[in-house]
Amino acid sequence: MKRVYNFSPGPSVLPLPVLERAAAEMTDANGAGQSVMEMSHRSKDFKPIIEGAEALLRELMGIPPNYRVLFLQGGASLQFSMIPLNLASGEQAGPEAPGKKAVYIETGIWAKKAAAEAAKFVDVSVPASSKDRAYTYIPAAPAPEPGDAYYHITLNNTIVGTKWAGLPDTGPVPLAADISSCILSEPLEVAKFGVLYAGAQKNLGPAGLTVVIIREDLIGHAPSWVPALLRYDIHAGEGSMYNTPPCYGIYIMGLVLEWLKNLGGLPAITRLNQEKAGLFYRYLEQSRLFRSPVEKSCRSLMNIPFVCTEADPARREELETRFVKEAAAQGLVNLAGHRLVGGMRASIYNAMPIEGVRALIQFMEQFEKTNGK
Ligand SMILES: *Cc1c(COP(=O)(O)O)cnc(C)c1O
């Protein structure tokens, strides 16, 4: 069987050497005579796996010592609740109870969901949004007020294909960022953030693991009514082992990080990601059938939406549906845009080889020709 080029936004493509190594270790990992899936999370066999994964993540991202790394479950979506619960909630439960104000910049559907969830617990302000132009740009970010609990951004907007080109200056107010779809895709100055979080299934490994990177002084402020599993202090205090962590996901992430390190780490993957995205955007620029709907200054390296230029909506939809179907028949799969925005989208995460991007462009050139452009 031939492997496809998988342009899925998540769960998404993993490096082939990682999958092959996991297959080879499936029934006997590191001479333990058992699969990682069968190991006790507190065993001597699992200890080097979780510690090694954290050490590699710290090394690759340059995470300062005053930050904790947590391996949690519940996806990025659970962090939409945990951040307000831990960083802004007052001594009484509920949105009317006095707590602190949290700031959210609305740059897409995930950003909007994060703000809506926080508004169930705390006072939320949304001083900027790019909804007026279907989230195709990043709005100017107003400064927070000094007493605000935190300032939340979605660094890379997976669905609409934008990314923040620079970071907002939030002064002493901690910057919180959803980096689910751009973690380890290019350098990030961790010290500029109070808390970072990412679901693993985009750029790190399988679904089921969520990585949280949080500055130590932001841990320990959750009021007593916040449930144990939703508290950063509990997870940090127990080294992500208050309950069973997503062991297999942590193991695969460790293999992905090793792969990335052997490739040359962030400098090497940044060059490669810029080359891949550059090829694709340059092709879209000169295409007569396809175009990018996203403003140039804030285009994502990881998720590239595109639409057909056809003016008639019915004909456009027919073309786009046929494009996705014919591409899949050629082994270029999962190219449909998000169900809420339509069109197409190529997610080209770290593990997508440049050959996959070249094959997609070649197919698009062919599709243009056979469709009279
Ligand atoms: C995928 C994604 C989410 C949702 O992640 P889950 O792990 O499914 O909860 C949230 N934010 C961004 C930016 C994403 O790309």
Side-chain angles (χ1 to χ4, degrees):
M1 193 201 68
K2 188 176 168 288
R3 270 176 66 80
V4 294
Y5 287 120
N6 179 8
F7 296 93
S8 166
S12 39
V13 55
L14 284 166
L16 185 58
V18 166
L19 297 175
E20 285 170 340
R21 167 113 175 250
E25 295 183 347
M26 178 55 75
T27 57
D28 179 9
N30 303 320
Q34 55 190 304
S35 161
V36 175
M37 264 183 266
E38 302 168 294
M39 285 175 188
S40 158
H41 56 297
R42 303 192 192 278
S43 65
K44 67 169 186 0
D45 294 314
F46 188 67
K47 197 165 185 271
I49 293 176
I50 188 167
E51 287 177 355
E54 176 173 343
L56 264 177
L57 187 68
R58 285 185 173 278
E59 179 186 335
L60 287 166
M61 285 185 77
I63 301 174
N66 63 325
Y67 283 73
R68 295 295 304 268
V69 175
L70 307 177
F71 297 132
L72 309 181
Q73 306 193 44
S77 300
L78 189 60
Q79 295 311 306
F80 298 171
S81 320
M82 281 181 72
I83 289 177
L85 284 170
N86 284 270
L87 270 53
S89 293
E91 278 310 321
Q92 277 144 21
E96 308 304 331
K100 283 177 151 187
K101 183 169 99 258
V103 181
Y104 281 77
I105 306 300
E106 191 188 282
T107 51
I109 291 150
W110 291 120
K112 191 176 175 186
K113 277 193 169 173
E117 189 64 16
K120 293 178 184 170
F121 310 111
V122 301
D123 185 13
V124 163
S125 120
V126 182
S129 165
S130 50
K131 194 173 181 180
D132 59 339
R133 279 188 274 140
Y135 301 122
T136 54
Y137 68 104
I138 299 287
E145 285 163 28
D148 290 341
Y150 60 89
Y151 194 102
H152 183 278
I153 62 171
T154 309
L155 198 59
N156 183 78
N157 295 275
T158 323
I159 295 172
V160 290
T162 62
K163 73 159 182 177
W164 288 74
L167 298 177
D169 182 3
T170 61
V173 174
L175 185 58
D178 181 349
I179 56 168
S180 292
S181 49
C182 59
I183 186 169
L184 287 169
S185 65
E186 57 184 336
L188 192 63
E189 204 181 327
V190 175
K192 292 228 160 113
F193 298 85
V195 54
L196 292 161
Y197 63 96
Q201 70 274 23
K202 315 283 164 72
N203 230 354
L204 293 176
L209 164 67
T210 310
V211 173
V212 174
I213 301 161
I214 180 167
R215 216 173 60 211
E216 261 165 6
D217 61 287
L218 297 174
I219 299 173
H221 305 292
S224 54
W225 55 266
V226 173
L229 268 173
L230 303 182
R231 305 178 65 95
Y232 293 132
D233 53 359
I234 296 261
H235 288 295
E238 301 284 335
S240 301
M241 293 219 194
Y242 172 72
N243 68 331
T244 315
C247 301
Y248 200 75
I250 293 167
Y251 157 72
I252 297 288
M253 182 188 72
L255 298 187
V256 169
L257 297 177
E258 256 180 64
W259 167 83
L260 190 54
K261 185 176 172 178
N262 290 337
L263 212 70
L266 274 189
I269 202 72
T270 303
R271 273 197 306 278
L272 191 58
N273 287 335
Q274 281 168 348
E275 194 182 345
K276 288 185 317 192
L279 274 179
F280 199 65
Y281 284 122
R282 274 196 301 282
Y283 164 71
L284 288 178
E285 283 306 305
Q286 58 75 58
S287 168
R288 278 181 297 169
L289 183 59
F290 303 103
R291 67 176 181 87
S292 159
V294 175
E295 199 170 276
K296 255 187 186 171
S297 60
C298 50
R299 288 179 175 173
S300 168
L301 285 180
M302 297 280 97
N303 311 97
I304 308 186
F306 53 101
V307 291
C308 283
T309 50
E310 175 64 49
D312 175 52
R315 163 115 177 98
R316 184 172 68 236
E317 214 186 302
E318 184 274 321
L319 259 179
E320 292 180 347
T321 307
R322 195 151 47 76
F323 173 85
V324 171
K325 200 172 149 210
E326 288 179 15
Q330 300 296 313
L332 305 162
V333 306
N334 290 320
L335 282 162
H338 190 275
R339 62 199 150 80
L340 292 178
V341 299
M344 285 81 67
R345 170 179 47 171
S347 293
I348 51 171
Y349 295 116
N350 286 356
M352 170 61 65
I354 194 160
E355 292 76 19
V357 178
R358 291 215 172 93
L360 175 58
I361 293 172
Q362 217 171 36
F363 173 76
M364 290 168 77
E365 286 169 342
Q366 193 57 45
F367 192 87
E368 275 193 64
K369 274 192 205 129
T370 52
N371 288 278
K373 295 275 175 173

